[in-house]
Amino acid sequence: MGRYVGTSVKRVEDPRFIQGKGRYVANIQFPDMVYVAIKRSPEAHARITRMDTSAAAAMDGVVAVFTGQDFKDGGCGSLPCGWLVPDTKVPDRPIVVTDRVCHVGDSVAVVAARTPYIAADAVEAIEVDYEPLPTVVDARGAMDEGAPLVHSEIENNVSYHWALGDQEACEKAFAEADEVVEIELVNQRLIPTAMEPRAAAAQWDAASEEMTVWTTSQNPHPIRLLLSAFTLGIPESKLRVISPDVGGGFGSKIFHYPEEVIVPWVARQVGRPARWVATRTESQMTDSQGRDHVTVAKLAMTSDGTFTGLDVETWANQGAYLSTFAPLIPTALYITLLSGNYKMPGVFGKVHGTLTNTVPVDAYRGAGRPEAAYLVERLVDLAATRLGRDPLDLRRQNAIPKEDFPYQTPVAFLYDSGDYDRLMTTAADRADYAGMRQAQAEARAEGKLRGVGVVCCIEASGPAPSAVAGSLGSAVGFWESGEVRVHPTGQVSVFTGSHAHGQGHETTLAQVVADELGVPIESVEVVHGDTGRVNFGMGTYGSRSACVGGSALVRSAEKVRAKVLQLGAHLLEAAEEDVVYDRDTGRVHVKGSPESGKDFGELAFAAYTAHNLPEGMEPGLDFVSFYDPANFTFPASSHICEVEVCPDTWEVRILRYVAVDDVGKVINPMIVEGQLQGGIVQGVGQALTEIGAYSDDGQLLSGTLLEYAVPRADLLPGIEVDRIETPSPHNPLGVKGAGEMGTIAATPAVANAVLDALAPLGVTHIELPLTPERIWRAVQAAGNGA
Amino acid sequence: MRHRVCLTVNGKAEEFDVEPRLLLCHLLRAYVGLTGTNIGCDTSQCGSCTVLMDGKAVKSCTVLAVQADGCEVTTIEGLAGADGLHPVQQSFWDNHGLQCGFCTPGMIMTAVEILDRNPGATDAEVRHGLEGNICRCTGYENIVKSIVAAGARGS
Ligand code: FES
Ligand code: FES
């Protein structure tokens, strides 16, 4: 066993952040830089009847003003969509609009000026006249007969329909069911709100015709590919994309955005470096948003509580345009998760992806999986109520038993490993579930509104394999590259196509490689986020970096070891089968005599001097691997939440939150715990405080942090996290994704707890977020009014 | 119309001619060249931009540069001493009090003030004290832990 994997190594990236030396895009500044600001539409849907940029252009310090036509004439292509399910209708998405805006925040014109203040003034000075057009904002209403069309060529605002599952088995389950519970719910729109607003900077070298773009991206290589092939048209060989330190992403920084095209285009046009930094308000109205489903579903079961079928129909709001991976989220990352952690033969789901006059919707932490978990876990609680059963008990009865793995669900996925019963019993023990129920009974007797929520949830992390992704609509592969370059002195540089924006890869990936090679972690540096240094990579999302990115590095390290072993045997004048590579020390020695060996550094040096190499061996010590995983990994969790609802103010107070997660083997427990805690609070945010709200005419009502209620430090009293481990059998590290599990489980855990608290008042459903006002209204509607 | 602003930043005297509307956070980032003070919002909600002005934690996006005339400003870059990291910085590192690091400078500056006023601050007091600072990554657990631990070590 290695020295580092499995231990809480302190993060090597931290010293720069705690001293204010983070290298964020907004910090990039060149002496002759121009600052870009963007005129944005205040209308959700309108025709532009007049635009006058002359006053702006005449302002002192304004370098240039550009309109949509300039970008079109200047060779900018429209933003493409990288995931197309059959018959997807894709609306054209120009970099800057020319004649019609489709959501509040759509880009209308661009200013470049000597300072950011002048640029902001100039944006104000641009005059635009709009002729408002009818708007539609609701996912399901968009399909109504006679609803206004977002794009006249796309009938009924339907971008696609998609379905998956065993419809016959599903129909049979309902025909034969003893009990059926039904629900209609909204999974509300969320705004990801990474604390660092998006930004882009660019520098053009006219002599060499080379462009460098800095962008707040989770995946700089795919961005370079899109810039090169679709939007900017500069060859990849001349285009370097760097995503340095990125201040959180949660999915919102995966996608290719107009500003990534605007800024380099402007830099080349004006012959000066350029930079754009979003204001928070701009981020809230232009970063792709999350969730926004309307769903009607029912669960079939026998009288003894055995689940037999689940039937789901969902309307998924995709916003005004299809963001880069938009159709993936409500299809292959949502319907596929509807079996949850349960054995259910008859699962069938269909989804309608609709277009509306709202900001585009795409992946946000969890992406499709939280929507599935919230739906399934609410239905299971309704089932428990119907049957008069304890919700934990009913879950344990229906959970897929551990002997059934790998388990094929009716909705395409093959779950790799798991032990859901142990997960739930561990959570129940840790929380003292029986004690909580007892305390609840006592509290209720005193007239208090106390509730306990319990969930068991599944995630699919590390999308894979590439060929399957392709068959489901992906335009890209989901492998990862990892290079291990051993320098002549034995120092190691690791190049990963994964990208860290808070996850701590510079530490965890160094732990992995240091253990694989048996070298001190201090001698391993991890390089990421720069297309000029890393050969290629797919970036970080879908909790893939450890399982896919880490595995690629294991493969490369294995190649390094094999070569070092061969070289060591040669220099020790022994047969290869008579020597061993000691992974604790990095030494190669003759079996049984560790003292007569060669150090890792010596062997690295010998590989580069190449004075005495085995027959046919090339000099150097540098290997790249492209790892294409065989399957997703399937983390799971059981969370238990205890709440009390105040009968005067209707505020929800969380008393305890206990989370037991199974994310497979763990590289760094401290970092995994941090990912779970952060994820949980985001999930609690969806349950209690957050909503990306629009008025009927498409105005974003929560466009600043004044209205969009991100959780604060006092929302929870603390979180107790624990783990069990069922290693993934199909990747060399045995790891599963840890980045999203917390978010997925937390929303239903809190929602179930609150509805359990309100059960004595006859309340069975409230749409999220569970704000005091919504709770009060539900209580009134249930006939408890005064 | 421009105004002269004289202030001390991290112990060093600085002097600039600025527009009256220039915000202190922009003065620090663009004029002084200290980019550790991050800007996360435009409505004074997030606290990423927190610095110490004459020893008090302020949101530098809510202060005009001209208001800082004659003041002593400490930013995250000025916190560590000759003998290394400030105890709060060290505690954030030891307790995994950061992930993406964007809120971190503001969190640390706020924490310095919380502990200054109340060195033995409890978990609940720290949570209350952080009401003006948003972190989207950590769920606050380890930020609170870092601050409580720094206080306990200091007192
Ligand atoms: S940037 Fe100052 S409070 Fe957000
Ligand atoms: S560490 Fe990312 S916002 Fe706090």
Side-chain angles (χ1 to χ4, degrees):
Chain A
M1 216 20 236
R3 287 165 294 171
Y4 302 111
V5 170
T7 65
S8 293
V9 175
K10 269 170 58 175
R11 297 207 325 171
V12 301
E13 43 276 87
D14 284 2
R16 67 176 184 269
F17 294 119
I18 55 179
Q19 296 181 86
K21 302 285 187 218
R23 300 174 297 226
Y24 302 104
V25 176
N27 300 353
I28 293 167
Q29 206 172 331
F30 296 108
D32 55 344
M33 196 163 224
V34 296
Y35 296 88
V36 172
I38 297 165
K39 179 83 175 172
R40 306 223 173 250
S41 170
E43 297 284 339
H45 197 194
R47 213 179 316 279
I48 296 173
T49 53
R50 185 187 73 101
M51 173 147 47
D52 185 353
T53 59
S54 55
M59 286 171 69
D60 195 24
V62 170
V63 177
V65 182
F66 301 106
T67 63
Q69 199 59 46
D70 295 326
F71 285 89
K72 218 173 189 173
D73 297 345
C76 290
S78 296
L79 289 164
C81 179
W83 192 288
L84 301 176
V85 299
D87 301 321
T88 308
K89 308 280 184 300
V90 186
D92 182 51
R93 187 182 184 190
I95 301 303
V96 177
V97 305
T98 49
D99 55 350
R100 195 170 60 96
V101 293
C102 295
H103 67 85
V104 168
D106 225 348
S107 11
V108 169
V110 172
V111 169
R114 201 162 37 76
T115 74
Y117 280 56
I118 296 171
D121 288 344
V123 159
E124 290 302 315
I126 296 173
E127 290 174 26
V128 188
D129 289 347
Y130 296 96
E131 175 195 321
L133 297 168
T135 57
V136 60
V137 298
D138 170 53
R140 186 164 49 177
M143 272 173 69
D144 287 350
E145 208 50 59
L149 294 183
V150 181
H151 303 278
S152 55
E153 71 283 9
I154 299 178
E155 250 175 80
N156 294 112
N157 296 311
V158 174
S159 176
Y160 57 85
H161 299 289
W162 199 81
L164 180 73
D166 188 337
Q167 191 166 12
E168 213 174 294
C170 182
E171 281 166 6
K172 182 164 173 284
F174 283 93
E176 296 171 358
D178 296 327
E179 295 283 352
V180 173
V181 286
E182 300 180 35
I183 199 166
E184 176 171 342
L185 56 76
V186 173
N187 198 295
Q188 86 268 34
R189 177 158 319 210
L190 299 176
I191 305 183
T193 320
M195 286 322 298
E196 176 203 31
R198 282 192 302 113
Q203 194 171 31
W204 168 246
D205 183 330
S208 64
E209 301 197 318
E210 285 174 342
M211 180 73 84
T212 305
V213 178
W214 292 264
T215 176
T216 52
S217 176
Q218 300 177 213
N219 30 239
H221 288 88
I223 296 301
R224 184 183 61 168
L225 169 61
L226 292 167
L227 279 169
S228 186
F230 294 95
T231 50
L232 190 60
I234 293 176
E236 277 165 299
S237 55
K238 296 283 192 185
L239 184 57
R240 179 176 179 189
V241 177
I242 302 172
S243 297
D245 287 327
V246 172
F250 315 112
S252 69
K253 291 173 180 166
I254 298 170
F255 321 117
H256 188 24
Y257 286 99
E259 298 82 2
E260 286 168 330
V261 187
I262 291 172
V263 174
W265 188 88
V266 167
R268 187 174 53 181
Q269 212 68 19
V270 304
R272 289 163 65 170
R275 191 186 82 188
W276 165 82
V277 180
T279 62
R280 170 56 53 193
T281 307
E282 247 182 322
S283 265
Q284 302 304 83
M285 65 166 86
T286 63
D287 293 9
S288 287
Q289 303 181 345
R291 319 277 195 261
D292 206 343
H293 286 189
V294 176
T295 295
V296 178
K298 53 187 181 180
L299 174 70
M301 63 201 129
T302 61
S303 53
D304 77 342
T306 305
F307 302 157
T308 53
L310 177 67
D311 187 9
V312 174
E313 179 167 16
T314 290
W315 291 261
N317 197 336
Q318 301 277 262
Y321 307 105
L322 291 183
S323 170
T324 314
F325 286 115
L328 159 66
I329 315 308
T331 59
L333 288 182
Y334 166 66
I335 302 286
T336 48
L337 273 302
L338 289 173
S339 192
N341 307 54
Y342 310 111
K343 263 189 121 143
M344 268 192 286
V347 183
F348 179 73
K350 55 174 182 275
V351 60
H352 317 286
T354 59
L355 299 164
T356 62
N357 296 111
T358 61
V359 177
V361 177
D362 206 321
Y364 164 60
R365 201 170 194 169
R369 294 150 286 180
E371 293 90 315
Y374 174 60
L375 176 67
V376 171
E377 291 302 288
R378 281 300 304 136
L379 276 168
V380 172
D381 260 28
L382 291 180
T385 306
R386 169 74 59 86
L387 299 165
R389 295 276 303 275
D390 177 87
L392 177 66
D393 220 43
L394 186 63
R395 284 177 169 82
R396 291 184 60 194
Q397 175 187 339
N398 284 283
I400 300 159
K402 72 168 192 285
E403 327 51 90
D404 286 17
F405 289 91
Y407 176 79
Q408 178 65 56
T409 73
V411 270
F413 275 150
L414 182 71
Y415 292 173
D416 57 350
S417 63
D419 186 348
Y420 306 148
D421 194 66
R422 180 154 66 97
L423 200 55
M424 283 187 271
T425 51
T426 308
D429 287 348
R430 175 79 201 237
D432 182 19
Y433 181 70
M436 273 187 183
R437 287 293 181 201
Q438 173 91 37
Q440 178 185 31
E442 287 161 17
R444 276 186 178 167
E446 293 169 26
K448 289 186 180 157
L449 299 171
R450 171 85 65 108
V452 179
V454 45
V455 294
C456 191
C457 295
I458 181 90
E459 199 213 330
S461 67
S466 297
V468 172
S471 73
L472 287 170
S474 176
V476 295
F478 283 112
W479 45 267
E480 195 49 273
S481 85
E483 176 177 358
V484 176
R485 181 183 302 167
V486 184
H487 301 288
T489 57
Q491 297 286 308
V492 182
S493 290
V494 168
F495 300 86
T496 176
S498 301
H499 184 275
H501 27 280
Q503 297 90 338
H505 299 162
E506 290 168 39
T507 307
T508 47
L509 296 179
Q511 287 177 261
V512 168
V513 173
D515 273 1
E516 287 293 323
L517 299 180
V519 299
I521 196 166
E522 297 75 24
S523 68
V524 181
E525 72 150 348
V526 175
V527 178
H528 66 97
D530 182 349
T531 66
R533 297 188 70 191
V534 179
N535 56 50
F536 204 89
M538 295 311 300
T540 287
Y541 40 80
S543 304
R544 66 192 300 272
S545 299
C547 16
V548 191
S551 297
L553 289 171
V554 171
R555 291 281 179 262
S556 291
E558 283 166 354
K559 294 174 192 169
V560 169
R561 275 209 314 273
K563 183 166 180 177
V564 166
L565 183 78
Q566 198 192 347
L567 177 57
H570 175 73
L571 294 178
L572 292 167
E573 296 178 349
E576 244 182 88
E577 50 282 9
D578 293 333
V579 297
V580 286
Y581 187 120
D582 183 342
R583 280 177 58 185
D584 284 334
T585 60
R587 273 170 69 83
V588 175
H589 62 78
V590 176
K591 273 181 194 157
S593 47
E595 53 314 321
S596 66
K598 298 264 178 209
D599 284 340
F600 185 76
E602 273 177 273
L603 292 166
F605 197 67
Y608 281 93
T609 60
H611 295 164
N612 182 10
L613 297 180
E615 181 80 37
M617 179 181 278
E618 290 178 10
L621 196 53
D622 187 351
F623 288 98
V624 186
S625 302
F626 290 77
Y627 178 83
D628 197 356
N631 191 1
F632 282 75
T633 65
F634 292 89
S637 62
S638 181
H639 292 193
I640 298 179
C641 175
E642 184 179 38
V643 301
E644 211 161 272
V645 180
C646 172
D648 298 321
T649 64
W650 303 104
E651 270 169 314
V652 174
R653 192 157 63 91
I654 295 178
L655 306 177
R656 261 187 96 192
Y657 197 101
V658 177
V660 179
D661 289 84
D662 176 6
V663 295
K665 287 267 180 217
V666 162
I667 298 168
N668 186 318
M670 173 191 82
I671 287 178
V672 164
E673 241 177 60
Q675 286 293 312
L676 292 169
Q677 292 162 344
I680 286 166
V681 173
Q682 276 181 330
V684 175
Q686 171 162 25
L688 295 183
T689 63
E690 298 179 32
I691 181 165
Y694 288 87
S695 66
D696 288 344
D697 60 355
Q699 289 298 321
L700 178 61
L701 302 176
S702 49
T704 77
L705 293 178
L706 277 166
E707 302 93 10
Y708 192 80
V710 169
R712 305 272 173 163
D714 60 359
L715 187 67
L716 278 98
I719 301 169
E720 300 161 56
V721 297
D722 206 348
R723 280 186 287 110
I724 70 165
E725 281 184 13
T726 65
S728 174
H730 63 76
N731 68 55
L733 292 162
V735 294
K736 300 178 178 179
E740 297 166 286
M741 195 67 255
T743 309
I744 293 166
T747 307
V750 174
N752 282 352
V754 173
L755 286 159
D756 186 46
L758 299 172
L761 301 180
V763 176
T764 55
H765 180 69
I766 311 177
E767 300 294 6
L768 306 181
L770 303 170
T771 58
E773 184 201 336
R774 286 176 182 229
I775 293 174
W776 177 78
R777 285 186 193 284
V779 170
Q780 302 298 304
N784 302 282
Chain B
M1 189 181 53
R2 296 181 85 81
H3 287 258
R4 170 134 305 206
V5 179
C6 305
L7 74 174
T8 309
V9 181
N10 299 332
K12 192 164 160 265
E14 303 274 4
E15 215 178 302
F16 303 99
D17 283 326
V18 304
E19 278 186 273
R21 63 175 174 168
L22 184 74
L23 299 175
L24 178 59
C25 58
H26 291 137
L27 178 95
L28 293 170
R29 291 177 56 84
Y31 289 64
V32 190
L34 294 174
T35 53
T37 300
N38 291 324
I39 300 173
C41 74
D42 43 17
T43 52
S44 199
Q45 301 294 303
C46 75
S48 305
C49 62
T50 307
V51 299
L52 299 181
M53 199 160 112
D54 292 336
K56 288 224 313 250
V58 298
K59 292 178 173 178
S60 63
C61 71
T62 322
V63 176
L64 294 169
V66 292
Q67 289 176 292
D69 188 41
C71 292
E72 283 207 27
V73 173
T74 307
T75 71
I76 186 73
E77 290 94 338
L79 205 56
D83 46 346
L85 295 175
H86 185 281
V88 175
Q89 289 174 314
Q90 184 67 45
S91 195
F92 268 67
W93 191 11
D94 293 345
N95 292 290
H96 189 29
L98 59 145
Q99 290 182 20
C100 79
F102 196 81
C103 70
T104 311
M107 287 287 178
I108 290 178
M109 300 315 282
T110 306
V112 168
E113 198 204 36
I114 292 174
L115 295 177
D116 202 34
R117 283 202 307 235
N118 179 7
T122 63
D123 186 283
E125 286 166 343
V126 169
R127 284 179 191 275
H128 180 70
L130 290 177
E131 65 179 358
N133 293 69
I134 298 176
C135 175
R136 191 60 158 162
C137 297
T138 63
Y140 305 98
E141 281 298 294
N142 290 338
I143 292 178
V144 175
K145 194 166 145 197
S146 302
I147 299 172
V148 172
R153 197 173 324 144
S155 54

